[in-house]
Amino acid sequence: MEFKWSVPLIILVLVNCDLYSNIGGSILKECPYCNTYEPSQPESRIYSSEGSELVRISVGVIVYFALKPNQQSKAAETRRCCGGPVSDHFQSDQFEKMFSNRSSLEVEDHEIENKGFLDYQSFITASAYYQRYGFGTTYINEDFFGTKEVAAFLAHVATKTSCGNKVVAREQLSRDLCYNKEKNSNLSYCDERYKNAYPCAPGVAYYGRGALPIYWNYNYGEAGKDLKVDLLNHPEYIEQNATLAFQVAIWRWMTPIKEHQPSAHDVFIGTWTHTKNDNLAKRVSGFGATMSVLYGDLICGHGDNESMKNIISHYLYYLDLMGVGREEVGPHEVLSCAKQVAFNPSFSSSP
């Protein structure tokens, strides 16, 4: 990835966030810079689909930078660093309130056999790898994004693992985490165009798995490479291990769909440099843009549709449970993607 600037850059000294444990201390003095997240470099791709929504198809190195002190600008004034572990500000009782019915939910669907599979400890264990890159731990200047990011991430997870009930009342917002794989698992999602880099294993299907599902052989291959797990030959590992199911979900949250595009994490915390095209497309940093990154025009750009309102309802409900005031989410154009032009169109990559 190439960056062209009219002023010289200073490379940040990156340190491990695990060294920082006093989250209530003097943030700017004690909080170390987040490490740079550098996923594996795949072959360049120009398309993507998982059957029902967009998935990551290509990624470049994410670079965080600061201008020289004498270059006065918003970029120069920004200080991004990582606090302590997610468990410092997100407790098990909050998780249980969010998903209070996941184990005892009375539903008619007899196929729901994984209630209680996705639990708090699995999420915390999974997040530990990514917290040094800023997941659930980021401060921008003195503004802590960690609590809000956890709520945002879990809002997406909830709607993807829902027991199938439409949200019509507040109490139904806890009726999630029922599934850890796609209900309709008849398709193989094998793209033979990547048979050299990510050959499909015989008899293996790459349908949606994980707390925030991934699809297609190339995504299983790339996620497995980054997580150091052979998901290409054994995608069923995600169904069998709750920590891995969350790791795959966070991988998708932290990883851009295409090179030169931001990840859901980037657009949420605001470390994304807007282009002229982004401004014309009405893309702004915030929760709404995470839907644009993850789902494209299948949800965004169509006004206040039910799918989008469902995800937003979960996010606001979780913020309430975590003690974050709703005034912190910003105006409607930040919270939603109703008027945003999606980053990527939704078209199939089937052979």
Side-chain angles (χ1 to χ4, degrees), residues 86-87 90 119-129 131 246:
V86 171
S87 58
F90 182 55
D119 60 4
Y120 171 78
Q121 192 55 54
S122 297
F123 170 66
I124 293 301
T125 303
S127 68
Y129 175 78
Q131 65 193 20
F246 272 121

Side-chain angles (χ1 to χ4, degrees), residues 112-302:
I112 298 178
E113 56 187 32
N114 295 299
K115 293 179 294 183
F117 174 75
L118 297 169
D119 60 4
Y120 171 78
Q121 192 55 54
S122 297
F123 170 66
I124 293 301
T125 303
S127 68
Y129 175 78
Y130 289 97
Q131 65 193 20
R132 64 184 182 271
Y133 303 115
F135 176 75
T137 62
T138 298
Y139 285 88
I140 301 293
N141 296 327
E142 296 184 353
D143 188 5
F144 182 56
F145 283 79
T147 305
K148 289 179 286 187
E149 184 175 18
V150 169
F153 170 78
L154 290 177
H156 287 285
V157 168
T159 56
K160 288 302 173 186
T161 60
S162 173
C163 302
N165 303 85
K166 292 184 178 180
V167 176
V168 294
R170 187 180 180 91
E171 58 269 18
Q172 289 182 314
L173 292 170
S174 60
R175 299 165 71 89
D176 302 302
L177 296 189
C178 283
Y179 296 98
N180 65 342
K181 65 177 181 178
E182 183 184 13
K183 287 186 288 184
N184 180 16
S185 56
N186 296 324
L187 299 178
S188 64
Y189 293 98
C190 174
D191 191 335
E192 289 293 344
R193 284 172 289 190
Y194 299 99
K195 62 183 179 182
N196 292 328
Y198 303 114
C200 300
V204 170
Y206 301 98
Y207 54 79
R209 295 179 177 89
L212 195 57
I214 60 170
Y215 294 70
W216 297 102
N217 52 312
Y218 48 77
N219 284 300
Y220 276 86
E222 290 174 13
K225 185 185 297 182
D226 289 342
L227 297 173
K228 297 179 174 56
V229 180
D230 185 9
L231 297 180
L232 194 61
N233 289 300
H234 297 284
E236 73 278 3
Y237 287 168
I238 300 174
E239 300 177 39
Q240 300 166 356
N241 187 306
T243 297
L244 184 58
F246 272 121
Q247 284 181 317
V248 166
I250 302 174
W251 172 85
R252 183 177 172 191
W253 177 266
M254 298 291 292
T255 305
I257 290 177
K258 289 184 179 179
E259 190 174 1
H260 305 302
Q261 288 186 1
S263 66
H265 168 76
D266 294 328
V267 298
F268 184 78
I269 66 175
T271 56
W272 156 45
T273 302
H274 295 67
T275 66
K276 181 179 179 180
N277 288 337
D278 291 326
N279 295 330
L280 292 174
K282 299 182 179 180
R283 301 182 190 126
V284 295
S285 297
F287 183 74
T290 67
M291 292 184 279
S292 181
V293 170
L294 295 174
Y295 316 125
D297 58 6
L298 293 172
I299 287 183
C300 298
H302 306 297

